[in-house]
Amino acid sequence: MLKFHLIAFIAGFIIDCILGDPIGWPHPIRAIGNLISRFTAFFLAKAEKSQSGSDKKRKKRIYGTYMVVLVILIPAMITAVILAATYRIHPYLGVAVEAVMTYFYLAMKSLYVESMKVYKALKEQTLEDARYAVSMIVGRDTNKLNETGVAKAAIETVAENASDGVIAPMLYLAIGGPILGVIYKSINTMDSMVGYKNDKYMDFGRTAAHLDDVVNYIPARVSALFMVIACLFLGKEYSLKNAWKIHRRDRYKHASPNSAQTESTCAGALGIQLAGPASYFGSLVQKPYIGDPVRPVEVEDIVRANRLMIMASIICMLLCVALIMLVSLVLGD
């Protein structure tokens, strides 16, 4: 079975490199998002019926945990049934289905495409076009960003999502196939939808946010290491020494224990300063700077950040393939 898993894993990665995320195509992540929205509306409505504030908070936490369990179990069970059925019909059909599932949970091409839309808007169109393009991939307010601010936002998105959009799901897919892959993406999607520290989601999204921190803890650090190694293959524009230095110094300069891991590495590799104060929903949030301003951020850094992300992803893929082959040899499969 491991040889089929290996073929599907490689094929899924290649399909993602070619197709990305075609707009309008059916996608399981959208289905998971719809499931989360429905459960959120249902459980929050139940919690709002509580009379006292303390009871409402307690029920939000309980119902939020219920949602996490359901959103993990339902997609995982559906995935397991589909895989078991298709492999039973014929191994080749099972490989094909597993490859497509693997492709669904990787986002390297789409991360590249969406961030390069920002780059092209800055180079060829207006600042308003660039602000709109970057608003599609970030959660902050973008209507007042200048050219540097837009470029920084795009770079930070590429750096952060190199882990939770590409390398982390790749690691989980290599270890546990699409079942573990869909579990990871379900948790990650829940965090992105309900993991906010505001009145509505502070209690309800707590379990999802904490679980996302747990499942990304090791992948975020592995991703940062792959980014450091990637500097070896990308030429003089990238500093391995500074990437490691800034990573070690700034990797915890974020409210999340994981988000600054790859962002600090990217900032160090490129010799730029990222993060700092940013506006969210009309409020200015004071965030620490990451990296040193060895030189000013420029539009071309979006391209450089993407090269770093792609090379780190390729390194991860090759190592995953090597490990699957090694396990297969040891088990004699």
Side-chain angles (χ1 to χ4, degrees), residues 70-89:
L70 289 170
V71 172
I72 288 174
L73 284 179
I74 293 172
M77 290 174 65
I78 293 172
T79 300
V81 168
I82 293 172
L83 282 174
T86 52
Y87 269 110
R88 182 162 185 159
I89 292 170

Side-chain angles (χ1 to χ4, degrees), residues 24-333:
W25 283 28
H27 201 291
I29 300 301
R30 297 189 186 96
I32 291 169
N34 290 332
L35 190 66
I36 294 167
S37 295
R38 290 177 181 274
F39 279 136
T40 298
F42 174 75
F43 284 125
L44 282 179
K46 287 177 69 68
E48 290 297 331
K49 294 178 182 179
S50 302
Q51 298 298 318
S52 67
S54 59
D55 186 51
K56 186 183 294 185
K57 286 186 176 183
R58 183 182 65 84
K59 286 192 174 179
K60 278 187 176 182
R61 292 182 186 182
I62 293 171
Y63 290 143
T65 302
Y66 288 169
M67 184 193 71
V68 167
V69 173
L70 289 170
V71 172
I72 288 174
L73 284 179
I74 293 172
M77 290 174 65
I78 293 172
T79 300
V81 168
I82 293 172
L83 282 174
T86 52
Y87 269 110
R88 182 162 185 159
I89 292 170
H90 198 285
Y92 291 172
L93 178 61
V95 168
V97 170
E98 183 177 346
V100 171
M101 287 180 171
T102 300
Y103 150 64
F104 279 145
Y105 303 131
L106 297 175
M108 188 179 76
K109 176 69 177 291
S110 61
L111 179 58
Y112 172 80
V113 168
E114 294 304 315
S115 60
M116 287 303 290
K117 287 179 181 178
V118 181
Y119 171 78
K120 291 174 182 176
L122 286 170
K123 295 287 284 187
E124 302 170 6
Q125 300 172 25
T126 66
L127 181 56
E128 285 301 317
D129 292 324
R131 287 170 176 166
Y132 175 77
V134 82
S135 73
M136 296 292 102
I137 58 173
V138 301
R140 73 189 67 177
D141 299 330
T142 62
N143 57 318
K144 294 182 180 179
L145 292 178
N146 58 18
E147 182 177 296
T148 299
V150 170
K152 277 181 61 177
I155 295 161
E156 290 164 13
T157 297
V158 171
E160 186 174 341
N161 284 281
S163 176
D164 57 16
V166 188
I167 294 175
M170 198 185 303
L171 292 172
Y172 283 110
L173 285 162
I175 295 168
I179 296 173
L180 200 54
V182 76
I183 289 173
Y184 171 79
K185 292 303 293 184
S186 296
I187 295 169
N188 194 239
T189 306
M190 278 189 285
D191 178 62
S192 67
M193 292 179 67
V194 302
Y196 296 102
K197 293 181 178 180
N198 55 27
D199 291 340
K200 184 176 182 180
Y201 295 123
M202 175 67 78
D203 296 292
F204 183 75
R206 179 168 298 197
T207 300
H210 286 333
L211 189 55
D212 186 71
D213 287 342
V214 171
V215 298
N216 278 300
Y217 189 86
I218 292 175
R221 287 147 182 80
V222 171
S223 298
L225 178 61
F226 289 159
M227 278 189 166
V228 172
I229 297 171
C231 294
L232 286 170
F233 306 98
L234 294 173
K236 296 180 180 179
E237 291 181 315
Y238 302 82
S239 171
L240 182 150
K241 182 178 179 181
N242 202 50
W244 181 247
K245 171 190 168 184
I246 300 301
H247 166 71
R248 296 292 297 170
R249 190 191 74 188
D250 294 349
R251 66 190 187 278
Y252 292 120
K253 287 187 176 181
H254 198 283
S256 162
N258 303 319
S259 295
Q261 298 289 328
T262 48
E263 195 172 329
S264 60
T265 308
C266 181
L270 299 181
I272 58 177
Q273 191 172 68
L274 299 174
S279 176
Y280 293 87
F281 307 107
S283 299
L284 186 65
V285 177
Q286 295 296 332
K287 299 165 65 176
Y289 287 101
I290 294 174
D292 295 326
V294 177
R295 60 173 180 81
V297 173
E298 57 187 31
V299 177
E300 293 300 322
D301 286 320
I302 299 174
V303 178
R304 296 182 184 113
N306 271 302
R307 288 177 187 152
L308 188 64
M309 177 271 293
I310 291 170
M311 181 55 69
S313 301
I314 291 172
I315 291 169
C316 178
M317 189 273 292
L318 292 175
L319 287 175
C320 286
V321 167
L323 287 172
I324 294 171
M325 292 177 67
L326 179 61
V327 172
S328 180
L329 286 172
V330 170
L331 297 178
D333 188 359

